[in-house]
PDB file of all heavy atoms in Angstrom:
ATOM      1  N   GLU A 244       8.610   6.417  -9.982  1.00  0.00           N
ATOM      2  CA  GLU A 244       8.947   5.579 -11.130  1.00  0.00           C
ATOM      3  C   GLU A 244       8.819   6.365 -12.419  1.00  0.00           C
ATOM      4  O   GLU A 244       9.300   5.958 -13.487  1.00  0.00           O
ATOM      5  CB  GLU A 244       8.071   4.353 -11.163  1.00  0.00           C
ATOM      6  CG  GLU A 244       8.624   3.123 -10.463  1.00  0.00           C
ATOM      7  CD  GLU A 244       8.765   3.315  -8.950  1.00  0.00           C
ATOM      8  OE1 GLU A 244       7.910   4.004  -8.343  1.00  0.00           O
ATOM      9  OE2 GLU A 244       9.703   2.784  -8.343  1.00  0.00           O
ATOM     10  N   TRP A 302       4.631   7.653  -0.571  1.00  0.00           N
ATOM     11  CA  TRP A 302       3.420   7.094  -1.145  1.00  0.00           C
ATOM     12  C   TRP A 302       2.668   6.239  -0.162  1.00  0.00           C
ATOM     13  O   TRP A 302       1.647   5.693  -0.489  1.00  0.00           O
ATOM     14  CB  TRP A 302       3.717   6.342  -2.438  1.00  0.00           C
ATOM     15  CG  TRP A 302       4.769   5.255  -2.424  1.00  0.00           C
ATOM     16  CD1 TRP A 302       6.094   5.380  -2.748  1.00  0.00           C
ATOM     17  CD2 TRP A 302       4.581   3.881  -2.108  1.00  0.00           C
ATOM     18  NE1 TRP A 302       6.736   4.147  -2.649  1.00  0.00           N
ATOM     19  CE2 TRP A 302       5.819   3.223  -2.245  1.00  0.00           C
ATOM     20  CE3 TRP A 302       3.477   3.105  -1.706  1.00  0.00           C
ATOM     21  CZ2 TRP A 302       5.981   1.862  -2.015  1.00  0.00           C
ATOM     22  CZ3 TRP A 302       3.632   1.738  -1.471  1.00  0.00           C
ATOM     23  CH2 TRP A 302       4.894   1.130  -1.626  1.00  0.00           C
ATOM     24  N   ASN A 320      12.124   5.540  -3.847  1.00  0.00           N
ATOM     25  CA  ASN A 320      13.351   5.541  -4.599  1.00  0.00           C
ATOM     26  C   ASN A 320      13.604   6.921  -5.316  1.00  0.00           C
ATOM     27  O   ASN A 320      12.732   7.731  -5.445  1.00  0.00           O
ATOM     28  CB  ASN A 320      13.270   4.463  -5.745  1.00  0.00           C
ATOM     29  CG  ASN A 320      12.044   4.687  -6.622  1.00  0.00           C
ATOM     30  OD1 ASN A 320      10.914   4.329  -6.242  1.00  0.00           O
ATOM     31  ND2 ASN A 320      12.213   5.284  -7.788  1.00  0.00           N
ATOM     32  N   TRP A 324      15.971   4.650 -11.190  1.00  0.00           N
ATOM     33  CA  TRP A 324      16.331   3.698 -10.138  1.00  0.00           C
ATOM     34  C   TRP A 324      17.888   3.613  -9.948  1.00  0.00           C
ATOM     35  O   TRP A 324      18.354   3.440  -8.868  1.00  0.00           O
ATOM     36  CB  TRP A 324      15.829   2.291 -10.507  1.00  0.00           C
ATOM     37  CG  TRP A 324      14.411   2.021 -10.176  1.00  0.00           C
ATOM     38  CD1 TRP A 324      13.501   2.894  -9.591  1.00  0.00           C
ATOM     39  CD2 TRP A 324      13.751   0.778 -10.365  1.00  0.00           C
ATOM     40  NE1 TRP A 324      12.307   2.268  -9.461  1.00  0.00           N
ATOM     41  CE2 TRP A 324      12.418   0.960  -9.883  1.00  0.00           C
ATOM     42  CE3 TRP A 324      14.137  -0.447 -10.873  1.00  0.00           C
ATOM     43  CZ2 TRP A 324      11.474  -0.085  -9.947  1.00  0.00           C
ATOM     44  CZ3 TRP A 324      13.187  -1.479 -10.896  1.00  0.00           C
ATOM     45  CH2 TRP A 324      11.858  -1.306 -10.476  1.00  0.00           C
ATOM     46  N   ASP A 364      15.581   0.139  -6.119  1.00  0.00           N
ATOM     47  CA  ASP A 364      14.196   0.457  -5.820  1.00  0.00           C
ATOM     48  C   ASP A 364      13.842   0.049  -4.360  1.00  0.00           C
ATOM     49  O   ASP A 364      12.748  -0.462  -4.109  1.00  0.00           O
ATOM     50  CB  ASP A 364      13.242  -0.224  -6.800  1.00  0.00           C
ATOM     51  CG  ASP A 364      11.794   0.247  -6.618  1.00  0.00           C
ATOM     52  OD1 ASP A 364      11.609   1.423  -6.171  1.00  0.00           O
ATOM     53  OD2 ASP A 364      10.852  -0.514  -6.864  1.00  0.00           O
ATOM     54  N   ASP A 366      12.567   1.498  -1.799  1.00  0.00           N
ATOM     55  CA  ASP A 366      11.723   2.462  -1.097  1.00  0.00           C
ATOM     56  C   ASP A 366      11.793   2.179   0.390  1.00  0.00           C
ATOM     57  O   ASP A 366      11.754   0.989   0.766  1.00  0.00           O
ATOM     58  CB  ASP A 366      10.264   2.366  -1.514  1.00  0.00           C
ATOM     59  CG  ASP A 366      10.054   2.475  -3.005  1.00  0.00           C
ATOM     60  OD1 ASP A 366      10.005   3.593  -3.496  1.00  0.00           O
ATOM     61  OD2 ASP A 366       9.912   1.410  -3.634  1.00  0.00           O
ATOM     62  N   LYS A 391      11.903  -2.772   2.741  1.00  0.00           N
ATOM     63  CA  LYS A 391      12.002  -3.522   1.468  1.00  0.00           C
ATOM     64  C   LYS A 391      13.370  -4.194   1.320  1.00  0.00           C
ATOM     65  O   LYS A 391      13.483  -5.254   0.738  1.00  0.00           O
ATOM     66  CB  LYS A 391      11.837  -2.540   0.284  1.00  0.00           C
ATOM     67  CG  LYS A 391      10.595  -2.635  -0.514  1.00  0.00           C
ATOM     68  CD  LYS A 391      10.751  -1.716  -1.727  1.00  0.00           C
ATOM     69  CE  LYS A 391       9.609  -1.774  -2.668  1.00  0.00           C
ATOM     70  NZ  LYS A 391       9.796  -0.945  -3.869  1.00  0.00           N
TER      71      LYS A 391
HETATM   72 CA1   CA B 820       9.581   2.476  -5.914  1.00  0.00          CA
END
Side-chain angles (χ1 to χ4, degrees):
E244 267 66 33
W302 54 265
N320 57 280
W324 277 2
D364 189 29
D366 305 278
K391 248 189 177 184

